Amino acid sequence: MPNTIAQLLAEPALLQREAETILKRHSAALKAAAKTSWPALQPRLAQVLPELLGLYLQLYGDLFDCYYQLEQLLKLLAKSAAQRPDYLQAEDSAPQTWHKSHQALGSACYVDLFAGNFDGLKQRIPYLKQTGINYLHLMPLFKAPEPNSDGGYAVSDYRSTMPSLGTMAELSSLMQQLHQEGIRPVLDFVFNHTSDEHRWAEKAKAGDPAYRDYYFFLTEAERDRYAPTLREIFPEIRRGSFTQDKNSGLWVWTTFNSFQWDLNYANPAVFSAMAEEMLFLANQGAAVLRLDALAFVWKEAGTNCENLPKAHLLIKAFNAVARIAAPALQFKSEAIVHPDEVVKYIAPNECQLSYNPLLMALLWNSLATRKTRLLTESLQRRFAIDPHCSWVNYIRCHDDIGWTFDDSIAWQLGTNPDHHRQFLNHFYTGQFPGSFASGVPFQQNPVTGDCRVAGMLASLAGVDKAEAEQNHEHLEHALARIYLLNSIILSIGGLPLLYMGDELGLRNDYSYLQDPAKKDDSRWVNRVAVSTEQLAKATEPGTLSGRIYQQLQHLVKTRAGLAVLGNGTTNILYSDNPHLFCYQRELAGERLLVVVNFSEHPQYWRSDSRGSFTDALTGNQLQAGAVALSAYQVLWLTN
């Protein structure tokens, strides 16, 4: 008698035998599809298929054609493995531990804003290498409708690039050159939704039932089963999470913009179709895929349709697919959600990398309040992750800053979290008296007044206001804040990520307000073009850009000589001075202690140790005991 799905899932030995049976049954067809890649693919299939089968049965085991769909998926994997370039196959056999290195340094950019097109980016590889970059996230570059592209996150073709940037063949050539130069390319995998102009959506609009099942076409009654429990993501642009299709009169699920149609992953054909797109991108040279909006990918009535258990199963299934057909590929989680939910996506069999939105938000919080209690308490509970995985630590990105701290910790410290978020919004949009920041609100809710904040690093750190006031002391403080923030993401543990332009101290660009296609999206204020003249200032220490760049380079080069700042453990320490943030890194008996003053006033750190320390950043010797830190000073202390 055949085993039931429940029996297979409950008994690993049964699941293993079932996977072996499937592999044996289809090995001839898979070998033919895999061609010369079969000797490498076969052992990976044998190793990973039991895991993939278990995940697949949990997702689709109740469907009558579950096994047929799985068999089609396996053929797709074999075909993709056969198409994988030789240089990527060589990387597949190597351990993927590069993101744990003390020399790993990432950056992110829009190709057109940073270099014009793919050819221009090739010309700027020397600048990237000069800066120390060995991980490069190329922001959305796939074909997307204009003006409704959501900054490229409304993809109408995953296999075509925006014509102004160049062709897919040119992108593939660029990515191979980046690999050769020791720079790992990163692409976005926008897999929660497609543009409403994607070929699947066009067929769905035309009434093709197979492609309507790729999305959610709902009657009003069906829509109303879901709608009451969903939150609005872009309330400034439109209300609700559904858009009416003009052709059918039915309601399409659109979590973000009305032109971004959510995919229906309850349909296994959608999983296979997106797995094929994912592996295509991997074979073009993507070393990492940023999983966009992954918290939203599974829908269930009566829930908020965020961070559901089957969303994790789905991502793990994509991970298993990658380990079979493109083992060097790594996933980066983009989960800008509650801190407890962020960490659930981080695991070797799910997302090996993850943005660290908690660190980002609380660094800015500590600069505004000059207090570090919320930062310390939060990271003591949530910084530790699987040792095989890495945080991607960033100061800001192409989007906005949201205040994603844990309300319970705020209450514990005597802070009303809702009021505090209002304060932070006012502070970083320059509305709070004494604020040094020049940010702009993003997606302000007309009912609650809630919003997020957009702005370039230099503008948020106070450069704009200091220069407008011609206040030398305030300018020095602004530069010290930038140095402080960079020092933390470079030393706290994980892969540090810079947004290109911030390393030069480029400021907010308000020209988006004159562009009808951009004026309603204030995130364009921090999506700034970088000119050749601006890049040249990196080596001119007399300029503001040169000072910021050279300070960053000092941090990068110092870090490159300290192995403990790579794969070492991190211990967030309590300080009795509420203005100081302290943590210790340790690796193979080597220790490095970081002390950071988040205040513009001198502070004292009291050491319980005896003897002296050496500050790795300055070479200065410091005696243990009461150590004085100047305004915004950072210490990297070794014994």
Side-chain angles (χ1 to χ4, degrees):
M1 179 177 178
N3 295 305
T4 66
I5 301 297
Q7 288 174 321
L8 289 172
L9 294 175
E11 295 288 342
L14 290 178
L15 194 65
Q16 176 74 32
R17 285 200 292 272
E18 185 79 352
E20 291 171 355
T21 300
I22 292 171
L23 190 54
K24 184 176 180 180
R25 183 185 305 133
H26 297 285
S27 61
L30 295 175
K31 182 177 181 180
K35 300 178 182 177
T36 57
S37 67
W38 180 246
L41 179 66
Q42 185 181 24
R44 298 200 298 259
L45 274 167
Q47 180 182 5
V48 182
L49 183 55
E51 181 182 347
L52 176 58
L53 175 61
L55 295 164
Y56 206 83
L57 291 176
Q58 291 177 78
L59 290 167
Y60 305 118
D62 58 344
L63 301 179
F64 76 93
D65 62 345
C66 171
Y67 274 75
Y68 169 78
Q69 294 284 357
L70 177 60
E71 291 158 7
Q72 298 305 113
L73 175 64
L74 294 179
K75 292 176 184 177
L76 184 158
L77 302 189
K79 180 181 177 182
S80 176
Q83 297 169 343
R84 195 150 171 81
D86 291 344
Y87 81 94
L88 293 174
Q89 290 190 45
E91 292 188 12
D92 287 339
S93 60
Q96 299 305 310
T97 58
W98 51 267
H99 51 83
K100 309 295 291 185
S101 169
H102 56 297
Q103 296 181 350
L105 178 62
S107 67
C109 69
Y110 282 93
V111 174
D112 57 338
L113 294 176
F114 179 62
N117 54 32
F118 299 141
D119 185 62
L121 189 53
K122 280 187 177 182
Q123 307 309 312
R124 292 197 170 176
I125 288 176
Y127 174 79
L128 296 172
K129 295 184 70 175
Q130 165 193 304
T131 306
I133 302 301
N134 44 45
Y135 163 112
L136 180 63
H137 180 183
L138 304 177
M139 302 300 293
L141 43 71
F142 303 111
K143 187 176 179 182
E146 293 295 350
N148 294 328
S149 71
D150 186 30
Y153 287 100
V155 178
S156 53
D157 189 345
Y158 295 90
R159 302 193 181 209
S160 297
T161 56
M162 286 185 275
S164 60
L165 300 180
T167 66
M168 181 58 77
E170 289 171 325
L171 172 62
S172 183
S173 172
L174 166 64
M175 293 207 287
Q176 182 171 359
Q177 184 170 341
L178 288 169
H179 277 272
Q180 292 169 346
E181 297 287 350
I183 301 173
R184 286 177 168 81
V186 184
L187 296 178
D188 288 275
F189 185 43
V190 184
F191 74 125
N192 175 72
H193 50 263
T194 73
S195 160
D196 62 355
E197 294 186 17
H198 191 282
R199 65 183 184 281
W200 302 338
E202 294 290 359
K203 290 180 179 180
K205 290 177 191 176
D208 186 323
Y211 286 96
R212 282 204 173 176
D213 284 345
Y214 272 44
Y215 302 96
F216 295 87
F217 278 75
L218 307 174
T219 64
E220 191 167 320
E222 290 170 330
R223 178 203 66 183
D224 290 345
R225 287 179 57 226
Y226 293 97
T229 53
L230 304 179
R231 68 183 175 104
E232 294 178 326
I233 305 301
F234 287 162
E236 194 176 67
I237 294 176
R238 66 180 181 86
R239 311 310 300 270
S241 300
F242 300 90
T243 301
Q244 193 165 28
D245 173 47
K246 296 176 182 178
N247 297 318
S248 64
L250 297 173
W251 293 86
V252 180
W253 201 310
T254 54
T255 295
F256 299 99
N257 290 289
S258 59
F259 49 83
Q260 291 167 300
W261 286 15
D262 285 37
L263 289 161
N264 175 18
Y265 279 102
N267 178 359
V270 171
F271 179 84
S272 290
M274 289 305 292
E276 186 172 6
E277 302 303 288
M278 178 187 79
L279 293 174
F280 173 82
L281 298 180
N283 285 351
Q284 304 314 300
V288 179
L289 289 179
R290 170 190 175 274
L291 302 191
D292 179 65
L294 78 177
F296 298 88
V297 293
W298 196 271
K299 279 54 169 176
E300 290 177 16
T303 74
N304 65 359
C305 297
E306 297 180 41
N307 307 302
L308 297 180
K310 284 193 174 181
H312 291 279
L313 293 177
L314 189 74
I315 297 161
K316 289 176 181 177
F318 277 120
N319 181 299
V321 162
R323 279 183 282 141
I324 291 170
L329 182 66
Q330 305 276 280
F331 288 169
K332 178 169 64 173
S333 161
E334 190 256 352
I336 313 303
V337 292
H338 189 280
D340 286 343
E341 297 297 336
V342 172
V343 297
K344 292 178 182 178
Y345 292 97
I346 307 169
N349 68 339
E350 195 162 349
C351 293
Q352 300 93 339
L353 303 168
S354 174
Y355 284 115
N356 195 346
L358 180 64
L359 176 65
M360 175 198 67
L362 293 183
L363 289 177
W364 288 112
N365 170 76
S366 292
L367 282 178
T369 63
R370 282 74 164 177
K371 301 289 182 66
T372 61
R373 287 284 186 261
L374 186 56
L375 174 63
T376 298
E377 291 277 351
S378 298
L379 295 191
Q380 282 181 335
R381 302 186 193 189
R382 296 190 176 91
F383 192 79
I385 55 174
D386 187 291
H388 298 95
C389 299
S390 294
W391 286 116
V392 175
N393 297 318
Y394 62 115
I395 299 168
R396 59 161 219 93
C397 65
H398 68 290
D399 271 339
D400 52 273
I401 300 172
W403 310 113
T404 56
F405 55 81
D406 185 341
D407 288 8
S408 65
I409 296 180
W411 282 118
Q412 173 189 320
L413 296 174
T415 299
N416 181 311
D418 292 331
H419 294 174
H420 193 58
R421 288 187 177 94
Q422 289 180 11
F423 156 71
L424 290 170
N425 284 330
H426 280 84
F427 187 94
Y428 281 105
T429 55
Q431 301 174 62
F432 190 83
S435 167
F436 52 71
S438 299
V440 296
F442 172 68
Q443 288 301 321
Q444 192 157 21
N445 190 309
V447 177
T448 66
D450 185 36
C451 71
R452 282 140 21 221
V453 175
M456 292 291 285
L457 168 60
S459 299
L460 292 171
V463 171
D464 294 20
K465 286 196 173 181
E467 289 207 322
E469 298 165 354
Q470 297 184 329
N471 188 314
H472 176 73
E473 181 183 24
H474 288 180
L475 180 60
E476 292 303 309
H477 284 168
L479 297 181
R481 292 183 197 106
I482 294 171
Y483 184 80
L484 178 156
L485 293 171
N486 280 325
S487 77
I488 292 175
I489 66 167
L490 283 160
S491 64
I492 197 168
L495 175 72
L497 182 71
L498 312 172
Y499 185 83
M500 298 310 292
D502 279 346
E503 85 285 7
L504 296 169
L506 301 190
R507 253 68 69 68
N508 289 349
D509 180 1
Y510 297 96
S511 64
Y512 77 97
L513 293 168
Q514 279 70 56
D515 187 335
K518 297 177 179 177
K519 64 181 179 64
D520 294 325
D521 186 347
S522 58
R523 293 174 298 181
W524 286 103
V525 78
N526 52 224
R527 298 171 181 175
V528 174
V530 184
S531 68
T532 302
E533 291 74 22
Q534 287 167 328
L535 290 182
K537 291 182 179 179
T539 55
E540 298 177 12
T543 66
L544 188 67
S545 289
R547 287 187 64 188
I548 292 171
Y549 184 86
Q550 295 303 322
Q551 287 177 347
L552 173 63
Q553 284 296 290
H554 173 62
L555 289 167
V556 170
K557 290 173 182 175
T558 304
R559 174 177 180 259
L562 297 167
V564 69
L565 294 183
N567 200 22
T569 59
T570 301
N571 185 20
I572 309 297
L573 304 175
Y574 175 81
S575 170
D576 58 6
N577 184 327
H579 305 290
L580 301 182
F581 179 49
C582 307
Y583 50 93
Q584 181 171 276
R585 305 297 311 283
E586 183 172 357
L587 178 67
E590 180 184 356
R591 293 183 178 87
L592 184 141
L593 179 66
V594 177
V595 183
V596 183
N597 178 12
F598 270 87
S599 166
E600 67 268 50
H601 303 294
Q603 300 294 330
Y604 284 89
W605 169 68
R606 298 189 180 279
S607 167
D608 295 330
S609 303
R610 295 182 178 181
S612 64
F613 298 96
T614 299
D615 178 14
L617 292 172
T618 63
N620 292 338
Q621 295 288 314
L622 303 173
Q623 292 300 315
V627 177
L629 287 88
S630 59
Y632 298 115
Q633 187 176 359
V634 177
L635 301 174
W636 287 3
L637 301 176
T638 60
N639 288 115

